[in-house]
Amino acid sequence: MVEELVTAGVALACTGTVYLMAAARVVKQYERGVVLRLGRLVSEVREPGFTMIVPIVDRLRKVNMQIVTMPVPAQEGITRDNVTVRVDAVVYFKVVDAADAVIRVEDYRFAVSQMAQTSLRSIIGKSELDDLLSNREKLNQGLELMMDSPAIGWGVTVDRVEIKDVSLPETMKRSMARQAEATRDRRARVINADAELQASKKLAEAAAAMSDQPAALQLRLLQTVVAVAAEKNSTLVLPFPVELLRFLERSGLQAQAQTEAAEAERDGGRRPAAPAAPRAPRTPVEHGAEAALPELADLPPVEDLP
């Protein structure tokens, strides 16, 4: 009798152990457990930790509640301005209702992937090439709204959608490169023309200031000569202006005339004037200087000094 009780106790213990092992489940922190009892959903969703189910009768499905990063394969489409492009994207989504993700959709990952591809094709057809290249924030928001509306019914929410890359045909790349080069060339020419305009205004002001002082032109010429002469390996050819010769000649004649007038006033009345010596034939420069100074013809001749 005792042996039978011991045997029954051992059998009962073994059965309890097997039942416990079959019924015990562990739900991780980032998961939720959905229990289907005889095919019907149990309203209570199992929280993280240790839980028990009825073996054979219950079936526990674990749903990951983490944010899922899903790459969207590159989709080829034609933009609104008739440019063929290939665009790929990345979708970030997570499950907010584990029961809906199990009951209302067969495979929520596959559903989100297909919806992302179709939404991406749709957004390509509604956008222009410039928007795909420079206004991606707006397109990302449009993709997120297009995907989030049906995903809510599946217990899934789309956290973020990002367009990753836009592939263009080679001909379009070359056309865009030429356009960018032409734009840069136009800007460079405008800047150069503006600089020339400002420089011309400053040069006009400098010329107006130098016109009041003719000696400033000679000083500027000498400064230029000094600046060029600093280079030892250069040869300087400086044309000598005729105006400078005439200026020096006029200055010499005026100084000589003043000297002769002073001597004539000092020695006048004491000695008779000596006949003037014959002068050499005049050069064209002297003729010009004498024409410029007609008053020199009336000056008295130079007397011989004692």
Side-chain angles (χ1 to χ4, degrees):
M1 184 69 180
V2 177
E3 293 180 357
E4 294 178 355
L5 291 175
V6 172
T7 304
V10 172
L12 183 61
C14 293
T15 304
T17 303
V18 173
Y19 178 83
L20 183 62
M21 294 178 61
R25 293 291 187 274
V26 176
V27 180
K28 297 180 182 179
Q29 181 65 38
Y30 54 86
E31 296 176 340
R32 297 295 183 271
V34 179
V35 179
L36 298 176
R37 182 167 295 169
L38 297 177
R40 299 187 63 179
L41 175 66
V42 177
S43 60
E44 182 182 0
V45 177
R46 304 300 171 89
E47 296 295 328
F50 180 79
T51 185
M52 297 287 292
I53 63 172
V54 179
I56 302 175
V57 177
D58 292 345
R59 181 181 177 186
L60 178 67
R61 290 191 59 179
K62 299 178 182 180
V63 180
N64 193 337
M65 306 296 290
Q66 292 177 316
I67 295 177
V68 180
T69 303
M70 177 179 294
V72 181
Q75 302 296 312
E76 186 172 354
I78 301 177
T79 61
R80 194 166 61 181
D81 50 355
N82 298 325
V83 179
T84 303
V85 295
R86 289 177 59 88
V87 182
D88 56 353
V90 180
V91 181
Y92 302 89
F93 69 94
K94 64 180 178 180
V95 178
V96 293
D97 192 335
D100 290 342
V102 174
I103 300 301
R104 296 195 176 186
V105 63
E106 180 181 2
D107 186 353
Y108 66 90
R109 289 176 177 266
F110 181 75
V112 171
S113 175
Q114 295 300 313
M115 183 178 59
Q117 295 180 28
T118 55
S119 300
L120 185 58
R121 284 179 175 271
S122 177
I123 206 71
I124 291 173
K126 294 179 181 179
S127 305
E128 295 183 356
L129 180 61
D130 293 338
D131 295 334
L132 289 174
L133 297 177
S134 61
N135 196 13
R136 294 189 181 182
E137 291 294 332
K138 183 178 179 181
L139 299 180
N140 293 338
Q141 294 177 2
L143 276 172
E144 183 178 347
L145 291 175
M146 292 176 64
M147 296 178 59
D148 197 27
S149 298
I152 292 177
W154 305 337
V156 177
T157 180
V158 178
D159 186 67
R160 190 176 183 85
V161 182
E162 292 286 346
I163 294 177
K164 186 168 61 175
D165 188 21
V166 178
S167 300
L168 301 176
E170 292 297 329
T171 56
M172 181 58 63
K173 290 181 180 179
R174 289 194 293 267
S175 299
M176 294 178 65
R178 288 195 299 268
Q179 179 183 0
E181 184 178 358
T183 302
R184 289 193 296 269
D185 186 48
R186 178 180 62 85
R187 292 178 59 186
R189 293 193 179 192
V190 170
I191 294 173
N192 190 16
D194 191 14
E196 291 292 339
L197 178 60
Q198 295 179 6
S200 63
K201 290 181 180 179
K202 295 298 181 181
L203 288 175
E205 294 177 1
M210 288 183 178
S211 62
D212 297 336
Q213 298 292 335
L217 295 175
Q218 302 299 329
L219 293 177
R220 187 70 183 92
L221 177 61
L222 293 176
Q223 290 177 357
T224 304
V225 172
V226 172
V228 174
E231 298 292 336
K232 297 181 180 180
N233 56 352
S234 61
T235 302
L236 177 62
V237 179
L238 180 64
F240 205 72
V242 180
E243 289 77 5
L244 183 58
L245 292 175
R246 293 177 180 176
F247 174 75
L248 296 176
E249 185 179 6
R250 286 196 299 268
S251 299
L253 292 175
Q254 288 178 0
Q256 183 180 1
Q258 291 176 359
T259 303
E260 291 176 354
E263 291 179 354
E265 290 178 358
R266 184 183 61 185
D267 299 335
R270 293 188 299 176
R271 295 181 60 184
R279 299 179 62 182
R282 300 173 182 174
T283 62
V285 176
E286 293 176 349
H287 281 293
E290 188 175 24
L293 298 173
E295 67 275 10
L296 298 179
D298 300 330
L299 296 177
V302 181
E303 298 181 356
D304 295 335
L305 297 177

